[in-house]
Amino acid sequence: MPTQSATPQRCSWANPANPLYLAYHDQEWGVPCHDERRLFEMLNLEGAQAGLSWETILNKRENYRLAFDDWDAKKIAVYDADKVASLLANAGIVRNRLKVAAAITNANAYLRLCDELGSLDVYLWAHVNGKPIHNSGERIIKTELSDRISKDLIKRGFKFVGSTIIYAYMQAIGMVQDHAADCDWRIKQ
């Protein structure tokens, strides 16, 4: 929660000129998420970001929701060649064949994981005993934990889940709280 100062202090990466980015920083990033659909969405969006800026993906987020059936994994898992062609023609998303294919692959891997373990939420939060990791706000891009989760997700058939992507994902869904030390949104330990 921000302090009473006239201009709230935010992490330096939060572009003050983009209201979507500020809302993301202020209301989502670092906040523990247990919503299954959002967890699946963010996993795919973090993968779609590979080689791009998060701001690019965030600006296309609503288009992704429309294009990918509001991230309904059961629908995505059975996308056919016609649906893939329509996605690759959709200027509202990143039209990268490998990333589109990864979302379909991830939907199938996600459904298998849910059959085995109950949910992505249970799987993820078990890695941190249900409690977010609080870091000091220094710039971290991957850790031993993100390496471990990445390797396991790859073994389970997920794509675009390298360690750096998984660490960014952990930050996005609040498994890791990495707001800068001087950020007004930093959750006090």
Side-chain angles (χ1 to χ4, degrees), residues 111-120 122-124 152 156:
L111 294 171
R112 287 190 305 272
L113 182 143
C114 289
D115 283 345
E116 179 188 343
L117 301 174
S119 70
L120 184 58
V122 167
Y123 168 81
L124 291 168
D152 188 61
R156 292 174 179 278

Side-chain angles (χ1 to χ4, degrees), residues 10 12-23 55 59:
R10 291 184 173 92
S12 61
W13 56 261
N15 179 358
N18 185 337
L20 285 175
Y21 220 162
L22 293 182
E55 191 168 13
N59 289 337

Side-chain angles (χ1 to χ4, degrees), residues 58-83:
L58 189 62
N59 289 337
K60 295 177 178 281
R61 187 180 194 180
E62 287 305 317
N63 296 326
Y64 269 98
R65 286 177 176 158
L66 290 171
F68 284 91
D69 291 296
D70 200 27
W71 296 105
D72 182 328
K74 288 181 182 177
K75 289 181 181 178
I76 296 168
V78 295
Y79 281 178
D80 61 14
D82 289 340
K83 178 64 176 181

Side-chain angles (χ1 to χ4, degrees), residues 4-33:
Q4 295 296 87
S5 66
T7 304
Q9 182 71 31
R10 291 184 173 92
C11 297
S12 61
W13 56 261
N15 179 358
N18 185 337
L20 285 175
Y21 220 162
L22 293 182
Y24 174 73
H25 172 273
D26 297 356
Q27 299 164 20
E28 289 186 64
W29 195 75
V31 176
C33 176

Side-chain angles (χ1 to χ4, degrees), residues 39-132:
L39 291 171
F40 180 65
E41 172 189 31
M42 292 304 293
L43 182 65
N44 283 287
L45 291 180
E46 289 290 349
Q49 178 200 348
L52 303 169
S53 72
W54 176 245
E55 191 168 13
T56 297
I57 301 304
L58 189 62
N59 289 337
K60 295 177 178 281
R61 187 180 194 180
E62 287 305 317
N63 296 326
Y64 269 98
R65 286 177 176 158
L66 290 171
F68 284 91
D69 291 296
D70 200 27
W71 296 105
D72 182 328
K74 288 181 182 177
K75 289 181 181 178
I76 296 168
V78 295
Y79 281 178
D80 61 14
D82 289 340
K83 178 64 176 181
V84 170
S86 74
L87 290 168
L88 293 173
N90 185 337
I93 65 169
V94 175
R95 294 176 289 179
N96 176 297
R97 185 173 300 280
L98 293 175
K99 291 177 181 181
V100 168
I104 299 166
T105 299
N106 288 349
N108 284 286
Y110 166 80
L111 294 171
R112 287 190 305 272
L113 182 143
C114 289
D115 283 345
E116 179 188 343
L117 301 174
S119 70
L120 184 58
D121 181 57
V122 167
Y123 168 81
L124 291 168
W125 286 92
H127 286 89
V128 293
N129 296 319
K131 296 179 182 169

